[in-house]
Amino acid sequence: MDPTTDNAAPTADPAAARAALEALRAEIAKAVVGQDPAVTGLVVALLCRGHVLLEGVPGVAKTLLIRSLAAALELGTKRVQFTPDLMPSDVTGSLVYDARTAEFSFQPGPVFTNLLLADEINRTPPKTQSSLLEAMEERQVTVDGTPRALPDPFLVAATQNPVEYEGTYPLPEAQLDRFLLKLTIPLPSRQDEIDVLTRHAQGFDPRDLRAAGVRPVATAADLEAARRAVAATTVSPEITAYVVDVCRATRESPSLTLGVSPRGATALLATARAWAWLTGRDYVIPDDVKALALPTLRHRIQLRPEAEMEGVTADSVINAVLSHVPVPR
């Protein structure tokens, strides 16, 4: 095969793409203070073509984080406030009758964007929640039997409030498993909160990112080049076996009624590869698996009620598994 005809579209250099994605942290920090782990998680999800569940109390800059990421990557973004009366067509779009032409035309919904912020997804009924499943898994929307492709890149960042469950519809395990990562957005430290208030006192407007100095530092071409480099990252048989052993150990934990599925093992391998490449290596080591185990697996396991009453958490179970599973040399 002629290499010049293999890929007609030019792609960015992988080294330049890594440098561009590393610059995202500094660029987003112009608007969002102290959320580097969440920024890294979102970049990993983009590299793996996955989706993210963001969990945090109101007012910790979840919306601002997504808007800043979109601005720094020069991508489109839309926000949907999920409420009990939201219909599936409000997310995916619908056919609208045009009286002038006497025909139905498709009006795309907010899901037709690069970064979709699904705010408080657990406040809408399961029927509307499920309208995102095809978009997340197949990257298309089918209306009236016609599939319509979504733009690439495409990422759903869904948020949920961890402290207020009255009037909510918890996501079922099958839908939680569709999210590549679950990122917890903590309250800021004292110094970070002082920095936030200082910025606001100096005139910072979260609705005007351009005035805050947020500029595009990476493009879709950088992201595509990075994805190709991640796909070429070497995974040894020992690392593959280690990922499998970690996931299988969760299925044997006495604290759990549901362990990590094979899809979860695949996700952990993918995120470890992306992290390895972001840190400058073209091969995966056990520390890469450990670094991504919590955000990749914490939403894929289910605690026994008695374990929850004793204060056991998903994170503590995964940490215990990581400490007991033999690490390959």
Side-chain angles (χ1 to χ4, degrees):
M1 179 181 293
D2 184 356
T4 61
T5 61
D6 190 19
N7 294 294
T11 56
D13 175 66
R18 183 189 287 116
L21 293 178
E22 287 173 351
L24 282 175
R25 291 183 185 179
E27 201 64 23
I28 293 173
K30 295 177 181 178
V32 182
V33 177
Q35 297 293 358
D36 279 356
V39 174
T40 301
L42 287 165
V43 172
V44 167
L46 283 168
L47 291 176
C48 298
R49 290 182 169 87
H51 307 283
V52 175
L53 185 63
L54 299 171
E55 188 171 271
V57 298
V60 290
K62 296 187 292 291
T63 301
L64 182 59
L65 176 62
I66 299 302
R67 290 181 56 239
S68 302
L69 177 65
L73 278 171
E74 210 169 11
L75 297 175
T77 181
K78 291 180 182 176
R79 175 179 178 271
V80 178
Q81 183 65 49
F82 279 70
T83 56
D85 60 346
L86 194 73
M87 299 296 291
S89 59
D90 295 330
V91 178
T92 61
S94 59
L95 294 175
V96 177
Y97 182 73
D98 189 340
R100 293 173 300 179
T101 62
E103 293 180 350
F104 285 92
S105 61
F106 178 70
Q107 297 297 317
V111 74
F112 285 86
T113 187
N114 297 120
L115 303 182
L116 176 68
L117 178 62
D119 213 359
E120 294 192 282
I121 190 174
N122 57 336
R123 290 207 172 278
T124 201
K127 183 177 182 179
T128 305
Q129 290 177 6
S130 65
S131 67
L132 278 177
L133 283 179
E134 181 187 15
M136 293 169 64
E137 193 70 18
E138 309 296 336
R139 301 184 181 274
Q140 67 178 24
V141 168
T142 301
V143 176
D144 197 32
T146 303
R148 294 173 172 86
L150 294 170
D152 184 45
F154 173 70
L155 178 143
V156 173
T159 73
Q160 60 180 14
N161 187 337
V163 296
E164 189 179 9
Y165 292 109
E166 185 176 350
T168 63
Y169 303 85
L171 298 176
E173 285 74 21
Q175 189 161 351
L176 284 172
D177 207 33
R178 294 300 196 281
F179 287 97
L180 181 73
L181 300 172
K182 180 182 178 181
L183 304 176
T184 56
I185 311 296
L187 288 167
S189 65
R190 180 177 182 272
Q191 186 56 53
D192 285 343
E193 198 163 1
I194 289 174
D195 291 343
V196 170
L197 267 63
T198 300
R199 291 186 182 192
H200 279 264
Q202 294 172 348
F204 170 72
D205 184 357
R207 291 171 291 274
D208 190 355
L209 295 178
R210 184 166 291 276
V214 179
R215 298 288 186 270
V217 294
T219 64
D222 292 319
L223 191 58
E224 183 57 33
R227 286 172 171 175
R228 291 174 181 267
V230 169
T233 301
T234 302
V235 181
S236 69
E238 292 78 14
I239 293 295
T240 302
Y242 179 57
V243 170
V244 169
D245 290 343
V246 167
C247 294
R248 291 181 68 86
T250 64
R251 303 169 200 164
E252 301 168 0
S253 171
S255 299
L256 302 180
T257 58
L258 179 69
V260 177
S261 69
R263 181 191 286 125
T266 302
L268 181 54
L269 183 61
T271 56
R273 292 177 86 179
W275 177 246
W277 181 82
L278 279 173
T279 53
R281 279 178 282 101
D282 60 357
Y283 57 92
V284 181
I285 62 175
D287 283 349
D288 299 325
V289 177
K290 292 181 178 181
L292 272 297
L294 287 179
T296 308
L297 303 182
R298 59 165 60 109
H299 57 297
R300 303 175 191 272
I301 60 178
Q302 190 172 39
L303 292 167
R304 292 185 182 277
E306 55 269 27
E308 264 188 298
M309 292 177 63
E310 293 172 0
V312 177
T313 64
D315 285 10
S316 66
V317 171
I318 296 169
N319 282 326
V321 165
L322 292 173
S323 65
H324 285 94
V325 174
V327 178
R329 299 293 180 183

